Amino acid sequence: MPLRPGLPESAAPQLSAPEFYTRLAHAYDALARRGPFVATLRRALADALDPGPGATVVEFGCGTGANRPYLAERIGSDGTYVGVDFAPGVLRVARERDRELGGSGDSRGAYVRGDATRPPVCDDGVDACCGAFVVGMLPDPAAAVREWAELVGSGGRIALLDLARTTRSGWRALNPAFRLFVRAGSPPGTARSLERSPATVQDERVVAAHRALREVCVDVEYRTLLCGFARVSAGTVR
């Protein structure tokens, strides 16, 4: 599968968000792989995407590649995984992890620095794409989902995994703590640059992205996990 030129690892000017996630790459990797409930969430994403053996899967906002083992179980040794992220530091950690494991272990693949809203992947042979905890960072998440649908084409699969404040009445008391969690995990200056709290903006972007997936896909499956704080959507592009 040909790749379009991605962002150079030392692209200038450096953006504050990529720098932020680069500085925290190793701490983020520890949380992404060993944090509470993360294995459950990542397996839920892979199960929802449900790529077949030999499929080519593109993950946007791949971070340090924590989802790759779960996707590799699905696509097998004949499959191809491409992880896309805008932060060079997390991609370096992802590649280090692959080297420690002697390669991907279960599938061919590559990590590419790029923009989730302008996929650095040619729309030739991509069977599925997914994003975990990424659409809440995009200014126009619905447009990104539609772009991903164009990438995989009719019959391709898309899946999203995101966190947002819960709407379940028995758990809403925890929403203020979730709001602090979102603020703490946002790049410096995020709150000042927004007219509303980062958690409110994230909620709206997550809703917009999952709604867009329903619009471009058929056979859409939607479920919530972790008392409603986690949302998973998946479907087949029309």
Side-chain angles (χ1 to χ4, degrees):
M1 179 192 63
L3 300 179
R4 295 175 182 147
L7 296 175
E9 298 292 328
S10 58
Q14 290 292 326
L15 302 176
S16 59
E19 287 180 333
F20 174 75
Y21 291 109
T22 288
R23 288 197 300 269
L24 297 178
H26 286 282
Y28 173 80
D29 183 58
L31 178 63
R33 295 178 186 276
R34 297 189 292 275
F37 309 112
V38 294
T40 298
L41 296 178
R42 297 188 187 286
R43 187 166 298 281
L45 176 67
D47 290 346
L49 186 63
D50 194 24
T56 294
V57 176
V58 177
E59 180 185 3
F60 294 103
C62 67
T64 57
N67 284 318
R68 184 173 182 180
Y70 301 94
L71 295 169
E73 288 179 3
R74 293 279 183 164
I75 62 178
S77 59
D78 292 330
T80 299
Y81 169 92
V82 178
V84 178
D85 203 284
F86 71 169
V90 297
L91 294 176
R92 283 195 292 272
V93 173
R95 292 169 184 140
E96 290 170 3
R97 181 76 60 182
D98 274 1
R99 285 194 293 271
E100 291 173 2
L101 297 175
S104 64
D106 297 300
S107 61
R108 300 184 297 264
Y111 291 103
V112 181
R113 189 180 179 204
D115 187 338
T117 64
R118 298 193 301 273
V121 181
C122 296
D123 54 352
D124 180 18
V126 178
D127 301 298
C129 65
C130 62
F133 317 126
V134 66
V135 298
M137 301 170 60
L138 306 178
D140 191 346
V145 170
R146 290 191 289 269
E147 184 74 22
W148 301 352
E150 289 289 332
L151 177 67
V152 300
S154 179
R157 295 281 296 173
I158 301 178
L160 301 175
L161 165 63
D162 293 290
L163 299 177
R165 285 179 291 186
T166 186
T167 58
R168 295 187 187 179
S169 58
W171 295 96
R172 289 177 182 170
L174 296 179
N175 279 336
F178 179 79
R179 185 169 71 173
L180 293 176
F181 170 77
V182 172
R183 188 184 184 102
S186 301
T190 297
R192 291 194 302 273
S193 68
L194 301 172
E195 295 180 357
R196 288 151 297 155
S197 75
T200 298
V201 173
Q202 176 167 310
D203 288 351
E204 293 174 350
R205 291 174 175 176
V206 167
V207 169
H210 287 248
R211 181 186 298 122
L213 186 147
R214 292 195 298 271
E215 292 171 352
V216 301
C217 292
V218 297
D219 301 327
V220 175
E221 299 178 4
Y222 174 79
R223 62 185 296 208
T224 61
L225 299 165
L226 300 186
C227 308
F229 285 100
R231 294 117 188 259
V232 181
S233 290
T236 303
V237 175
R238 299 180 189 276

